[in-house]
Amino acid sequence: MTGLPMARPPMIDDPDVTIVTGAGGWLGTALMTTITDPTNAAHRSGEIRPFVRNRVEADALAALGEGVRPVVGDLRRDTDVDRLFDGLAGTVDVIHAAGVIHPRTVAEFAEINTEGTRRMLSRARDRGVRRFVHVSSNSPFGTNSHPDDRFRNDEPYHPYYGYGRSKMLAELAVLEAVEAGLDTVMVRPPWFYGPHQPPRQTTFFTMVRKGLFPVFGGGTQSRSMVFVDNLVAGVIRAELVATPPGRGWWIADARPYTVAEIVDTVGRALTDEGYDVRPNRARLPDLVAQVAERADALIQRAGRYHQQIHVLGEMNKNIACSIDAARAELGYEPAVELYDGMRRSIRWCRSKGLEL
């Protein structure tokens, strides 16, 4: 019969142990908050072993529940990753969310995103991990050719500078691990937003509120985004829905937005949350982004990294994806769109005393 909704594929049981790398980061914190919340359907009763960078992150996550047993370490050190896998019992899944997006030096891309992933995959294979979910990015695939273009699951690699190359090589390492017998899959989120955000997202709100967020041309560039809770739901379904290993899915909001729509929607969300918002007046010609991109290339070629120049250089690009495969194979269905997600993010900022 046509016209009926497709049944969502069933999910398998939670593992006895869940390892989460990058657990103190934006996505990691959101994931940890979800799976330790007894009122959430995704709550887990087994051991949760977050891999974090320092004792402050460890203490904050340990407070989430008795089953949370943090391990402090660095993905670049064999001994630290070995400790993460010590003493495992029963079924074990790994959600590998660790990575660096805006490093101090270009070398960190390879050290953390590529070699750190290879180190995790090797240990997971040796220890008989049930499923390994690698959190990738849109950057291995570069940018879309025009606003109506969409990345699909069979896209060729075309990495965008150092970060994109490091995440591409990490994806290739995942596929090598599949050939070696590890059940591992990938999720590919674009620009995400929502609670637990880092300072750069707070700066984004402030720039929109002051009317200073740079919009190139008419702001018609197409950008996929993902509310962090949508992303958490997609990651969990990638882990617990039985699929062939080696698959990769775009996990994003239901549709892409234009840059002009993003700025307008964030402005409305801020206004509705009680903030005074000035009309956006930061309209820039494409030439500014082109110059920034060339400068970014030169800076990265010299082994350095400048976050503001890098971001400015990609703001005139189209980066949009299709979530059709995630919907069909995982039963993924994003529950939150931009306006509601931004309002939740703004409220979270206010609850933390962050000035916007």
Side-chain angles (χ1 to χ4, degrees), residues 145-344:
S145 57
H146 55 83
D148 295 327
D149 185 27
R150 299 288 180 266
F151 288 132
R152 300 185 185 278
N153 277 39
D154 56 353
E155 291 293 324
Y157 289 119
H158 188 69
Y160 191 78
Y161 294 103
Y163 176 69
R165 177 173 171 78
S166 70
K167 297 296 276 188
M168 176 192 74
L169 293 174
E171 285 208 7
L172 292 174
V174 166
L175 297 177
E176 291 171 4
V178 170
E179 292 296 318
L182 181 64
D183 184 348
T184 177
V185 294
M186 298 171 281
V187 297
R188 296 166 178 147
W191 176 8
F192 51 96
Y193 62 99
H196 315 292
Q197 64 186 42
R200 66 178 182 272
Q201 187 74 359
T202 305
T203 301
F204 167 59
F205 284 143
T206 302
M207 293 179 73
V208 171
R209 184 179 64 77
K210 293 181 177 180
L212 298 176
F213 187 80
V215 175
F216 289 91
T220 58
Q221 301 87 359
S222 188
R223 303 298 289 255
S224 284
M225 299 183 72
V226 60
F227 183 60
V228 70
D229 287 358
N230 291 342
L231 179 52
V232 166
V235 167
I236 291 173
R237 294 200 72 85
E239 176 199 3
L240 298 181
V241 173
T243 63
R247 294 291 288 153
W249 301 279
W250 296 99
I251 302 295
D253 288 357
R255 62 178 181 87
Y257 315 100
T258 66
V259 170
E261 181 184 10
I262 293 167
V263 174
D264 177 69
T265 302
V266 173
R268 286 193 296 111
L270 285 162
T271 298
D272 292 345
E273 287 296 326
Y275 292 88
D276 292 326
V277 178
R278 300 174 189 169
N280 190 279
R281 58 186 185 276
R283 299 284 174 165
L284 302 175
D286 269 359
L287 179 62
V288 174
Q290 293 167 9
V291 170
E293 185 180 4
R294 288 170 187 162
D296 183 26
L298 290 172
I299 291 168
Q300 292 201 33
R301 199 172 298 143
R304 302 192 306 275
Y305 184 85
H306 192 287
Q307 178 178 334
Q308 288 76 19
I309 290 176
H310 175 80
V311 171
L312 188 64
E314 69 174 11
M315 279 309 300
N316 69 334
K317 306 292 191 298
N318 299 290
I319 306 174
C321 64
S322 166
I323 62 170
D324 287 351
R327 278 175 157 151
E329 298 176 19
L330 301 178
Y332 168 69
E333 195 58 49
V336 180
E337 280 215 349
L338 189 64
Y339 174 77
D340 287 337
M342 286 297 180
R343 288 196 70 171
R344 294 186 198 185

Side-chain angles (χ1 to χ4, degrees), residues 36-86:
T36 58
D37 179 1
T39 67
N40 195 298
H43 174 255
R44 302 195 174 184
S45 58
E47 179 184 347
I48 302 171
R49 192 175 291 195
F51 194 50
V52 294
R53 297 168 296 180
N54 53 59
R55 180 49 56 186
V56 172
E57 291 181 349
D59 290 345
L61 294 177
L64 292 175
E66 292 183 1
V68 179
R69 299 181 176 89
V71 175
V72 178
D74 191 320
L75 277 174
R76 292 170 287 191
R77 289 198 287 264
D78 285 323
T79 53
D80 289 355
V81 178
D82 286 339
R83 284 192 297 106
L84 179 63
F85 285 88
D86 282 348

